Amino acid sequence: ERLPHLSEETRKDAQAVLDMGKTIIDHYNLIRRGKISASRIRCHGDYHLGQALFTGKDFVIIDFEGEPARSLTERRIKRSPLRDIAGMIRSFHYVAHTALVKQETSHHKPEDTLSLLKNWAQYWYIWVSKVFLDTYLDIIKPTGLIPENPEQIKILLDAFLLEKALYEVGYELNNRPDWVKIPLQGILNILEAEG
């Protein structure tokens, strides 16, 4: 419904996401193909960089009440801890691409400079996400909370990343329509990152 009101560049990304509807459903259907051995726990529910405060010596995680848009009953459901990890990875994507959007809108830059900045933003996002995920997986694997099979971890993580990015599209359309290109690009990155 909002497609005609988006900028030309954002409209292209939105149309690409709409055209990939079947691919998105197929990603969710991977979960149903077989049993995934993992446990569920109470999770943060709204885990992102804004919930991690640096004290000068350590980090403190705050606001454990979950996603404010969800009902209290839904927030209390036990889930895979990978859901929170997906929230943090999406937060890294937002940080990199928000800085990029600010550069695009606040200064007139030559196209080659913007292209270079896009590459660096994407590189930073991928690198920070990889270090975060690798460290997390190394620490949590012995607990049995996540699957032992790396393919099952990928299936769950991709599903949670898509869930979060799709939620962000709705949020941005309702609150900051100029920012909707960030989660749209995130969805496209997830779907294009096969393997």
Side-chain angles (χ1 to χ4, degrees), residues 24-41:
I24 292 170
I25 298 300
D26 289 345
H27 267 74
Y28 285 121
N29 283 333
L30 290 173
I31 293 172
R32 299 174 29 192
R33 282 196 180 155
K35 183 175 180 179
I36 295 178
S37 295
S39 297
R40 296 180 301 161
I41 60 173

Side-chain angles (χ1 to χ4, degrees), residues 118-190:
K118 285 179 184 178
N119 289 336
W120 274 108
Q122 188 66 9
Y123 174 80
W124 181 89
Y125 157 63
I126 290 170
W127 182 252
V128 169
S129 297
K130 180 186 178 351
V131 170
F132 177 77
L133 182 60
D134 287 350
T135 303
Y136 181 82
L137 293 177
D138 285 346
I139 292 168
I140 200 167
K141 271 191 180 175
T143 68
L145 289 171
I146 61 171
E148 289 182 24
N149 181 331
E151 183 59 29
Q152 291 180 348
I153 292 172
K154 182 183 181 332
I155 289 169
L156 287 174
L157 189 58
D158 282 352
F160 293 134
L161 286 166
L162 275 173
E163 175 188 36
K164 185 69 173 169
L166 289 165
Y167 168 83
E168 292 163 357
V169 167
Y171 178 87
E172 298 302 3
L173 284 173
N174 290 327
N175 297 289
R176 302 180 293 199
D178 293 344
W179 287 41
V180 77
K181 71 182 187 176
I182 296 173
L184 288 171
Q185 290 169 352
I187 293 168
L188 294 172
N189 287 161
I190 294 163

Side-chain angles (χ1 to χ4, degrees), residues 52-82:
L53 303 178
F54 185 59
T55 66
K57 295 180 182 179
D58 201 357
F59 286 91
V60 176
I61 300 169
I62 62 170
D63 290 342
F64 284 87
E65 71 270 7
E67 178 60 52
R70 298 185 190 274
S71 70
L72 184 58
T73 303
E74 191 176 358
R75 290 186 234 173
R76 295 186 65 199
I77 295 172
K78 291 182 179 181
R79 301 178 188 276
S80 168
L82 291 173

